[in-house]
Amino acid sequence: VPDEAGWSRALQTSLRLELRKVTDEGDGKPLTVTAIAAILARADGSPVEDFQGHIIPIEEADLAVEQVLDQGGLTAGEMHERVGVGKVIGMMALDVEQRLALGFGVGPAAIFVKIRVTDPVVKRRIKSGELRELSIAGEAETEPVVEAA
């Protein structure tokens, strides 16, 4: 968020994650979910502006993922209301070319996350289909986009 002089500053944000895959290893064991944290670019490579008006270049997403993993990951929350219901155990930013090279097919550049859900109530709500999203929170530096004249 630029200040009055146009400089960037830290932005605290949190992402809603629509669950794409749920892996249940049985009662008493953690539930693992996979989700897309952010769509960065369309399959044609054109950038995507998120609901908050941000455009995240794939290079910046790559660096952010590395920093998050170097710092020990993130905790998952129950839709911004309760944190600590699980832990991000995997995270990857893939551009369009990387998706193709890994055999994922044509699709958008995105940040993918894998979360181990440990909270029994949240686990039960996910398994029943009642809870279809989780959240993660973090901080980012933002810079104003300067349009070319």
Side-chain angles (χ1 to χ4, degrees):
V1 176
D3 62 17
E4 55 279 348
W7 294 99
S8 64
R9 58 190 165 122
L11 168 74
Q12 289 197 347
T13 187
S14 87
L15 300 170
R16 292 173 45 165
L17 308 174
E18 182 180 344
L19 307 179
R20 302 292 177 131
K21 180 182 176 192
V22 177
T23 306
D24 185 13
E25 298 178 10
D27 290 335
K29 295 185 181 174
L31 183 74
T32 304
V33 297
T34 305
I36 295 176
I39 303 289
L40 308 172
R42 294 172 186 82
D44 66 6
S46 61
V48 171
E49 186 174 307
D50 70 15
F51 293 119
Q52 296 170 322
H54 302 131
I55 297 171
I56 306 170
I58 187 70
E59 300 82 15
E60 294 296 324
D62 246 348
L63 288 173
V65 167
E66 285 181 26
Q67 289 174 352
V68 164
L69 296 176
D70 281 348
Q71 294 170 6
L74 298 169
T75 59
E78 184 180 0
M79 296 319 303
H80 317 300
E81 295 180 16
R82 190 164 60 107
V83 296
V85 303
K87 182 165 178 63
V88 174
I89 58 172
M91 195 172 201
M92 181 185 307
L94 293 177
D95 65 23
V96 175
E97 292 80 22
Q98 290 168 321
R99 284 181 62 102
L100 291 171
L102 292 171
F104 295 140
V106 176
I111 299 174
F112 299 87
V113 297
K114 185 175 184 180
I115 299 169
R116 180 178 300 124
V117 179
T118 53
D119 183 277
V121 173
V122 171
K123 180 179 172 180
R124 191 169 40 255
R125 290 182 64 208
I126 290 170
K127 287 171 59 173
S128 74
E130 175 190 349
L131 183 61
R132 302 197 44 81
E133 296 178 321
L134 292 174
S135 59
I136 57 174
E139 293 184 5
E141 292 289 326
T142 62
E143 298 175 8
V145 175
V146 179
E147 299 284 334

